[in-house]
DNA sequence: CTAGGTGCAAACTCTTTGCAGTTCT
DNA sequence: AGAACTGCAAAGAGTTTGCACCTAG
């Protein structure tokens, strides 16, 4: 954790950005919720618990900055909100997502399933792939177990 | 064209929706711009050319309805706007996209490249895939040819 | 010291909604 | 007739921005 913050700090400094307490608090929240897919508002609430003075605008600005630095990825599952997902260190590709249309849960797939597919795209469409977004919509293993799933809205 | 409208009409009627002139005009615009990825505003502007009385809210409502009927797919490329993409008739899967980070163009891949991948997901994650979204970000064949690509914004 | 950063409130953009009036069947 | 639909304007939700003040390096 501390090492990752240290590394991000250097990354910021290398472009003459500062690691302010607000930014550090924001990064810590992201690190502590690595598996989640927090919206800006979510992050704001969580940061506020420890640094109540922080403003929502600062959170937005920090998240934008971190996106630029490729520390996080900004994603969008189709509800009107942007979500921010910490990039695994050393990850060469953006991980995939499984969105359950029953309970709304979002799971991550870290493995890269697209190696072959990207080669095909590069060869056949002459398109140099730099990044990708892959999301599956369907029924997760938790919901497919139930016979008559009761509506538990896990928004 | 006429047949497709006829079919959509039936689909609407089967759920006691009506095919109003406004809806028909909207569908026509979508059919005429099948390759594009129009935003609601884009559709509105185009429909307005032929049916100037139409309101933006109606366009939104129609697009929502068509999404529900799976006539179109609502997509989101990360700019703040939803775009609407006509589903090819008989398409069993949602087509993929190639977004060029140089010129902003969006190309479509109709082939299904995910057959194998979906099987893996179903087996290994026990996730019943119903739909997917796959977008590649990179350099398109038009831009990779140029040495010093001049900024032609093909928004 | 000073470029960069912050909080706040106002501004903006995209989308949805309430409502009174209209239209398809 | 009556449910479905429409246009308009107002309301909402999420995000961005201007500005005066603050602070990390």
């Amino acid at each position: 954790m501390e090492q990752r913050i240290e590394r991000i700090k250097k990354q910021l400094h290398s472009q003459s950005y500062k690691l302010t307490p607000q930014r550090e608090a924001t990064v810590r929240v992201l690190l502590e919720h690595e598996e989640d897919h927090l919206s800006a508002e979510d992050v704001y609430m969580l940061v506020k618990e420890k640094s109540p003075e922080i403003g929502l605008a600062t959170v937005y600005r920090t998240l934008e900055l971190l996106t630029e630095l490729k520390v996080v990825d900004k994603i969008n599952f189709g509800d009107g909100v942007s979500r921010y997902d910490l990039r695994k260190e050393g990850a060469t590709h953006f991980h995939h997502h499984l969105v359950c249309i029953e309970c709304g849960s979002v799971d991550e797939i870290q493995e890269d399933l697209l190696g072959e597919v990207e080669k095909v795209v590069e060869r056949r469409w002459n398109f140099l792939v730099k990044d990708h977004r892959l999301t599956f919509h369907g029924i997760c293993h938790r919901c497919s177990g139930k016979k008559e799933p009761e509506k538990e809205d896990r928004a």
Side-chain angles (χ1 to χ4, degrees), chain A residues 31-155:
Chain A
L31 287 168
E32 283 160 11
H33 295 265
E34 205 157 354
E35 291 296 300
D36 299 342
H37 301 83
L38 304 174
S39 67
E41 195 85 25
D42 293 338
V43 174
Y44 175 56
M45 293 309 197
L46 289 165
V47 176
K48 255 203 149 179
E49 289 176 9
K50 301 208 171 158
S51 315
E53 1 64 57
I54 202 170
L56 179 55
T58 300
V59 172
Y60 270 105
R61 285 187 278 231
T62 301
L63 290 171
E64 191 193 359
L65 182 56
L66 293 173
T67 303
E68 208 177 279
L69 295 179
K70 298 213 185 298
V71 171
V72 300
D73 283 297
K74 188 174 179 177
I75 41 175
N76 203 302
F77 291 125
D79 53 347
V81 221
S82 292
R83 292 169 186 284
Y84 298 84
D85 216 351
L86 209 54
R87 218 176 241 230
K88 290 274 179 295
E89 278 194 289
T92 63
H93 82 293
F94 185 53
H95 55 260
H96 320 308
H97 292 100
L98 302 178
V99 178
C100 180
I101 55 183
E102 198 69 64
C103 70
S105 65
V106 178
D107 296 321
E108 301 192 347
I109 294 186
Q110 295 299 334
E111 278 96 312
D112 190 355
L113 305 173
L114 291 179
E116 272 313 307
V117 173
E118 293 196 351
K119 278 183 208 150
V120 171
V121 170
E122 304 213 340
R123 271 201 304 272
R124 203 135 99 223
W125 281 268
N126 204 345
F127 184 91
L128 181 59
V129 176
K130 294 284 190 184
D131 197 5
H132 57 236
R133 296 284 135 124
L134 174 58
T135 304
F136 292 102
H137 298 250
I139 316 285
C140 76
H141 63 96
R142 292 170 294 266
C143 289
S144 64
K146 309 173 196 166
K147 328 91 267 220
E148 204 55 30
E150 26 241 311
K151 304 221 161 32
E152 45 161 348
D153 0 330
R154 251 238 249 170

